[in-house]
Amino acid sequence: MDYRESVLKSEEKTVFLLRSLYQSFGYRQYKMSKFEEYDLYAGNKDFLISDNIITFTDTNGRLMALKPDVTLSIVRNTKDTDGSVSKVFYDENVYRIPKGSHAYKEILQAGLECIGEIDNYCLGEVLYLASASLAAISQGYLLNISHLGIISGLLNDMALSPEQSQAALRLIGEKNMHELKRLCEAAGCSAADITRLIRVVSTNGAPEDVLPVLAECGCDAEAVRQLEELCRILRSAGEADHIVIDFSVVNDMSYYNGIVFRGYIEGVPNGILSGGQYDKLLRKMGRKARAVGFAVYLDFLERFYEQEPDLDADVVLLYTPETDQEILFRAVRQLTAEGLRVTAQKELPKKLRYGRVMRINPEGVLETC
Amino acid sequence: MLNVALPKGRLGEKVYDMFEKAGYECPSIREKNRKLLFTNEEKGICYFWVKPSDVAIYVERGAADIGVAGKDILLEYEPEVYELLDLDIGKCMMAVAAPNDYIDRPQRTLRVATKFERIAADYYASIGRDIDIIHLNGSIELAPLLGLSDVIVDIVETGSTLKANNLSVVERIVDISARFIANKASYEFKKNEISRVTEALAKQL
């Protein structure tokens, strides 16, 4: 059946665009059931955005959860294979309490995961697809990229305790340089180390401006090389103007490592895309493979799209109890065949937004009122 | 155009003075009228006053690109914003206070009255103390006087309210001051404007 594009909500159109984008790079669609065993999430609560999960007891007594996340389920259901990479994408509803809210919400989320022998090509491909996902939504987009290897290298050099490192990471995420400085001073770090850390994490911008600073500051050479190579791949894909290196993109270091990134769309107040390498999650789950992926939070876009149809129907077709039903039905079909949206009513509905009103006379002739 | 959420009250006026000194003046803001938005097109800035505890919400949700909020609010609500500067004004502290004759009994659950549930919970979790939080919206000092709670967790500025009610600070939790915050997406797309404001404010510190 043919359908007019306008019947699709903007979020639905975006889902279709993303699906075809991911399929064109050989990603297979992953479908999951609405429920998973609660244990899967309970064991990895810190990996989840919110640790509030809707649970219920299944008929066989097992504690089940309405899925708050897709990645954990994908990781559990893919097998380690030698040499190859399992590439899947999804668009699924998840259930969780969004940050700053107190009630559960159904959230439409799309994304992809690459699990297996991840190399720089895979990372580049995923970063490109993240960038292209944002481009599918709007031309005003930015992809912020960070490398946790660089940050952890700097923090390790300063010999901070795990708690201090955790606090430092949170402050880096807030771009809160004044408190980061105080924290490092209180921890007894040297002035030179503090200056170096602040210089690196407060530098943000285009790769060509940031990469030389990283080299000058003597950051982890391998991580810097990797970042350089990935930026080259993105530049060759025409994404240069949309890439920002920004170390305030920080994900939990007990799950994530290496490249992490966040995507923004102009006009949407929150980051709508989030992703990174999460080899450490796989280690926790006893797996050998490496992994990278991202999610696009489509619920944030609800208020972004403006081109929603301004009318509920093009034509209100008024009829009377005496109107021959068959003639009426034929008239409605005739109008819909012309591509009009028609609502047949005996009375004009009060809150309907419509184009024009027509009447049908007993002979089946349509008259515009 | 940058939208700026300013906290209503004395602190907000001091903050506006800093913006004015930084070159982002908007004379209409000083006029006594019922206007809610104050724009200086030439400087590309639009100010509005909101309840101090709401500034972070306006900024987090992008209605304001930047704003000034107390560290207490940032710690309590943990909004998704960047904290770009400590403006070093509106200084006070978050503290535990109790009646002058208070003796702590660690074997008992401590009853804590506060408006700042998260700050209190995080502080006592960090020292491994079991507490019962009593959320109050105002007149927190009254709670220990009437036996509603053992201690309070609240903002202490001069300490005069505590003193007048025979209460005193038993533990300082964290220092509070006004912070310059920015919406994360605005920071990306209006980076130059926000950086200019940040630098101009930083010069006054």
Side-chain angles (χ1 to χ4, degrees):
Chain A
M1 183 191 157
D2 287 337
Y3 59 85
R4 292 190 308 175
E5 217 182 289
S6 61
V7 303
L8 289 176
K9 286 201 292 181
S10 304
E11 297 97 294
E12 290 165 336
K13 270 186 236 169
T14 306
V15 167
F16 288 141
L17 276 171
L18 296 182
R19 245 184 232 176
S20 89
L21 170 69
Y22 304 151
Q23 275 171 345
S24 68
F25 277 76
Y27 287 70
R28 286 180 300 117
Q29 184 159 17
Y30 179 86
K31 277 308 275 182
M32 66 179 288
S33 65
K34 278 204 163 36
F35 320 126
E36 276 276 1
E37 280 194 52
Y38 175 69
D39 282 358
L40 173 65
Y41 305 114
N44 297 289
K45 273 195 167 179
D46 294 341
F47 184 74
L48 304 174
I49 293 175
S50 134
D51 58 6
N52 290 301
I53 300 168
I54 305 176
T55 57
F56 65 96
T57 310
D58 208 353
T59 48
N60 54 13
R62 285 183 310 174
L63 187 61
M64 304 296 284
L66 218 59
K67 60 177 192 286
D69 165 86
V70 185
T71 307
L72 285 172
S73 167
I74 293 180
V75 169
R76 191 167 72 165
N77 292 313
T78 48
K79 303 248 173 330
D80 279 350
T81 48
D82 285 333
S84 69
V85 176
S86 154
K87 299 182 178 187
V88 293
F89 76 91
Y90 60 85
D91 41 77
E92 296 272 349
N93 282 319
V94 294
Y95 304 86
R96 61 166 175 255
I97 301 180
K99 217 174 169 305
S101 164
H102 302 289
Y104 283 100
K105 221 181 139 199
E106 184 181 65
I107 295 164
L108 178 58
Q109 183 175 317
L112 58 81
E113 313 292 345
C114 254
I115 301 167
E117 297 271 319
I118 304 295
D119 55 13
N120 263 9
Y121 169 75
C122 285
L123 291 174
E125 181 180 281
V126 169
L127 281 172
Y128 168 70
L129 288 171
S131 207
S133 301
L134 296 168
I137 296 163
S138 162
Q139 274 314 297
Y141 67 94
L142 287 173
L143 186 67
N144 285 12
I145 306 174
S146 170
H147 197 304
L148 289 179
I150 292 175
I151 302 293
S152 62
L154 290 169
L155 296 179
N156 287 345
D157 287 351
M158 298 169 81
L160 296 175
S161 71
E163 291 78 26
Q164 287 165 334
S165 290
Q166 193 76 23
L169 203 61
R170 185 175 50 76
L171 296 172
I172 292 169
E174 290 173 4
K175 292 191 186 291
N176 189 339
M177 297 305 129
H178 43 278
E179 283 187 23
L180 181 64
K181 191 166 174 238
R182 277 178 224 156
L183 175 109
C184 296
E185 281 167 353
C189 303
S190 74
D193 277 350
I194 298 174
T195 311
R196 181 168 82 129
L197 176 70
I198 301 265
R199 178 152 185 236
V200 171
V201 297
S202 61
T203 309
N204 65 72
E208 56 272 25
D209 298 329
V210 178
L211 290 169
V213 176
L214 303 182
E216 267 173 47
C217 290
C219 294
D220 184 311
E222 201 184 323
V224 176
R225 246 196 319 278
Q226 188 181 35
L227 208 48
E228 267 167 0
E229 192 174 357
L230 293 171
C231 290
R232 264 203 306 279
I233 293 175
L234 289 167
R235 203 177 300 132
S236 71
E239 297 294 332
D241 293 344
H242 300 283
I243 301 300
V244 175
I245 294 185
D246 185 333
F247 292 101
S248 71
V249 183
V250 286
N251 292 359
D252 190 335
M253 282 219 210
S254 47
Y255 292 94
Y256 288 90
N257 58 295
I259 297 291
V260 287
F261 47 95
R262 196 186 299 138
Y264 293 95
I265 294 283
E266 197 166 6
V268 181
N270 318 76
I272 66 146
L273 182 148
S274 169
Q277 262 178 283
Y278 51 93
D279 303 348
K280 287 185 178 170
L281 171 69
L282 276 89
R283 297 293 163 276
K284 277 186 187 225
M285 294 172 92
R287 302 275 303 274
K288 281 187 294 196
R290 302 177 63 202
V292 59
F294 64 80
V296 188
Y297 307 111
L298 296 165
D299 58 318
F300 285 140
L301 297 176
E302 204 179 53
R303 302 202 174 273
F304 171 69
Y305 296 110
E306 282 161 2
Q307 62 277 33
E308 296 295 340
D310 48 354
L311 295 179
D312 299 317
D314 297 311
V315 177
V316 181
L317 181 56
L318 291 178
Y319 64 98
T320 64
E322 290 75 38
T323 311
D324 183 297
Q325 309 282 299
E326 206 184 317
I327 292 177
L328 170 66
F329 189 58
R330 217 179 297 140
V332 171
R333 293 275 315 265
Q334 186 194 325
L335 289 167
T336 58
E338 290 170 25
L340 297 166
R341 289 168 298 164
V342 187
T343 174
Q345 302 279 354
K346 284 205 276 283
E347 293 284 338
L348 201 56
K350 281 207 174 74
K351 286 190 173 166
L352 192 79
R353 296 168 305 167
Y354 54 87
R356 60 195 153 119
V357 181
M358 297 182 89
R359 263 180 222 286
I360 182 163
N361 73 13
E363 288 77 42
V365 178
L366 294 173
E367 300 159 349
T368 302
C369 303
Chain B
M1 177 71 72
L2 281 179
N3 282 342
V4 190
L6 295 174
K8 266 185 203 162
R10 236 182 21 223
L11 174 70
E13 278 160 29
K14 269 192 203 168
V15 171
Y16 172 72
D17 290 343
M18 289 182 78
F19 274 85
E20 195 178 57
K21 237 173 158 183
Y24 294 93
E25 72 278 4
C26 183
S28 62
I29 206 166
R30 305 243 190 233
E31 291 164 13
K32 288 220 173 337
N33 56 32
R34 286 176 182 271
K35 266 175 70 177
L36 296 171
L37 295 168
F38 305 92
T39 308
N40 183 341
E41 294 282 350
E42 192 195 327
K43 299 279 178 182
I45 206 138
C46 172
Y47 295 100
F48 46 91
W49 301 105
V50 298
K51 205 171 161 183
S53 54
D54 289 343
V55 169
I57 299 173
Y58 279 81
V59 175
E60 182 178 32
R61 294 193 169 236
D65 300 303
I66 50 177
V68 173
K71 185 66 183 176
D72 51 327
I73 301 298
L74 301 180
L75 288 171
E76 183 62 23
Y77 299 105
E78 294 187 349
E80 282 281 333
V81 295
Y82 289 136
E83 184 185 320
L84 300 176
L85 287 176
D86 180 348
L87 295 181
D88 225 19
I89 53 173
K91 285 167 101 168
C92 52
M93 64 170 163
M94 185 66 69
V96 180
N100 293 336
D101 56 357
Y102 169 73
I103 298 163
D104 188 20
R105 294 190 176 82
Q107 67 276 22
R108 282 197 354 207
T109 301
L110 189 71
R111 294 171 306 155
V112 182
T114 186
K115 201 162 37 169
F116 301 95
E117 277 188 49
R118 179 179 275 166
I119 296 176
D122 286 353
Y123 169 68
Y124 283 105
S126 75
I127 56 168
R129 184 76 196 265
D130 184 31
I131 58 163
D132 175 16
I133 292 195
I134 301 159
H135 183 95
L136 296 177
N137 293 303
S139 305
I140 318 287
E141 295 86 357
L142 202 53
L145 303 180
L146 297 175
L148 176 61
S149 74
D150 300 313
V151 297
I152 63 170
V153 167
D154 205 9
I155 288 177
V156 179
E157 223 167 319
T158 56
S160 51
T161 314
L162 293 181
K163 208 170 171 190
N165 290 292
N166 295 322
L167 298 166
S168 50
V169 170
V170 280
E171 207 68 57
R172 172 188 281 257
I173 298 180
V174 64
D175 289 328
I176 306 289
S177 57
R179 309 295 163 101
F180 177 55
I181 58 173
N183 173 271
K184 290 190 170 182
S186 299
Y187 185 88
E188 297 307 325
F189 294 103
K190 298 180 179 178
K191 194 177 266 173
N192 292 339
E193 292 110 296
I194 294 180
S195 300
R196 269 200 297 274
V197 178
T198 313
E199 278 164 31
L201 291 174
K203 272 189 198 147
Q204 299 174 44
L205 302 178

